[in-house]
Amino acid sequence: MAAAPTVPEIVLTSSTGQRKMAVMGLGTAPEATSKVTTKDAVLEAIKQGYRHFDAAAAYGVEQSVGEAIAEALKLGLISSRDELFVTSKLWVTDNHPHLILPALKKSLRTLQLEYLDLILIHWPITTKPGEVKYPIDVSDIVEFDLKGVWTSLEECQKLGLTKAIGASNFSIKKLEKLLSFATIPPAVNQVEVNLGWQQEKLRAFCKEKGIIVTAFSPLRKGASRGANLVMDNDILKELADTHGKTIAQICLRWLYEQGLTFVVKSYDKERMNQNLQIFDWSLTEDDYKKISEIHQDRLIKGPTKPLLDDLWDEE
Ligand code: NAP
């Protein structure tokens, strides 16, 4: 296996202490077919040089991620928890002003951590409090008090329970609303970005406002979940052959060259290593011309059943 490079970092300007985040993180959204446990995968990733982990209350992985971090400290793979960047997300059942602090404290207990690096509003939707249901039943949806939720998140950052606060799956319209009252602007908007859903408008808006975009599903869910717009794309096959790289590496290199941060999920030792090998080569102008021809279509259309008409504000 090739030696692991050091992953470049980016500063979150609205974070406490100007926290740095490695541009590539490991996703931990569970896949029922995975033979490797989240604990083993996170531990292996730390061995390989990953320092940024993307979790969520709704994934049910916080305990395993926490156990892996505790084990990594015990084994001396890292000398302090501060070397890691840990993100978690609030589920829609907790998107109520009075439930933010208890939900964050619960995540911290489950993760065995004293602070998060980043907490995100997972989806711009609120449901009645209760158990995690996926997909979300639209009849459970109630009005989303974004201002109240954000004020509670700002309080959490001021209390030192998280270094930064942010959004996920927010459209430009929703970010504009958030920015209109935020005293601590969102450090991050985590959204789907991949070669099949390049999100140029949203990315330009975030850049102008100093919001870091983190791309999720950067491989459009990879090869293991069946054929897809990027992993089975003839244009990308050709680029991969020309560079002597894999399609996954072309996808991740493109995100890196766009100045994005991204969370890619692999629990496989070899693919985890492969995904790290993207920092010492580049795409050419000709590659970019070909990339611009890739058909665009959003993969993740929403977490509800049925889908909501106004979730993406027609952007
Ligand atoms: P992804 O990272 O694009 O793809 C993951 C899939 O690709 C897995 O099946 C993985 O299988 C496979 N894979 C990984 N590296 C590969 C490679 N080099 N070659 C071929 N296949 C490869 O998709 P994702 O899991 O949907 O997204 C990543 C993370 O983003 C999630 O885990 C989660 O943390 C976050 N996310 C957030 C949201 C949100 O609403 N905020 C939504 C979706 C995802 P192996 O494990 O077998 O390698």
Side-chain angles (χ1 to χ4, degrees), residues 31 54 168-169 190 217 219 224 265-267 271 274-275:
E31 281 179 90
D54 183 66
S168 177
N169 296 301
Q190 185 182 116
S217 301
L219 308 178
S224 62
K265 183 259 164 190
S266 180
Y267 280 11
R271 286 191 285 280
Q274 182 197 119
N275 294 345

Side-chain angles (χ1 to χ4, degrees), residues 205-244:
F205 176 84
C206 288
K207 192 171 178 191
E208 187 198 319
K209 301 293 179 191
I211 301 169
I212 287 168
V213 172
T214 298
F216 72 65
S217 301
L219 308 178
R220 223 174 157 84
K221 291 197 177 288
S224 62
R225 301 198 209 176
N228 81 44
L229 253 182
V230 303
M231 298 299 277
D232 298 281
N233 186 292
D234 287 337
I235 298 172
L236 293 177
K237 263 183 206 143
E238 193 192 314
L239 294 193
D241 289 346
T242 314
H243 285 275

Side-chain angles (χ1 to χ4, degrees), residues 111-289:
L111 281 157
Q112 305 175 52
L113 296 179
E114 286 179 5
Y115 68 89
L116 283 180
D117 294 284
L118 176 64
I119 186 155
L120 303 175
I121 299 173
H122 205 147
W123 288 95
I125 296 172
T126 304
T127 67
K128 292 181 281 194
E131 294 300 304
V132 172
K133 281 192 226 160
Y134 197 90
I136 298 161
D137 187 339
V138 288
S139 67
D140 287 339
I141 293 178
V142 296
E143 202 183 327
F144 184 15
D145 174 6
L146 178 60
K147 191 172 182 187
V149 164
W150 195 255
T151 306
S152 297
L153 280 167
E154 289 177 334
E155 202 47 45
C156 291
Q157 181 168 333
K158 287 177 198 152
L159 286 170
L161 298 174
T162 185
K163 302 283 182 198
I165 54 181
S168 177
N169 296 301
F170 272 47
S171 63
I172 294 175
K173 190 174 167 193
K174 290 187 175 73
L175 287 174
E176 274 171 338
K177 182 176 172 193
L178 177 50
L179 288 169
S180 72
F181 49 70
T183 59
I184 302 176
V188 165
N189 187 24
Q190 185 182 116
V191 289
E192 179 188 343
V193 188
N194 51 58
L195 280 167
W197 189 237
Q198 297 178 14
Q199 297 255 47
E200 281 173 21
K201 239 175 107 185
L202 178 64
R203 290 199 275 128
F205 176 84
C206 288
K207 192 171 178 191
E208 187 198 319
K209 301 293 179 191
I211 301 169
I212 287 168
V213 172
T214 298
F216 72 65
S217 301
L219 308 178
R220 223 174 157 84
K221 291 197 177 288
S224 62
R225 301 198 209 176
N228 81 44
L229 253 182
V230 303
M231 298 299 277
D232 298 281
N233 186 292
D234 287 337
I235 298 172
L236 293 177
K237 263 183 206 143
E238 193 192 314
L239 294 193
D241 289 346
T242 314
H243 285 275
K245 305 289 176 192
T246 64
I247 292 183
Q249 289 172 320
I250 299 286
C251 292
L252 299 177
R253 177 71 204 181
W254 175 79
L255 290 164
Y256 176 59
E257 290 188 8
Q258 300 305 301
L260 298 181
T261 60
F262 41 97
V263 284
V264 55
K265 183 259 164 190
S266 180
Y267 280 11
D268 174 85
K269 226 175 173 171
E270 299 292 332
R271 286 191 285 280
M272 235 183 239
N273 179 270
Q274 182 197 119
N275 294 345
L276 283 171
Q277 310 298 329
I278 60 154
F279 298 110
D280 56 356
W281 51 278
S282 356
L283 297 168
T284 65
E285 229 171 87
D286 194 41
D287 297 338
Y288 273 90
K289 275 190 206 130

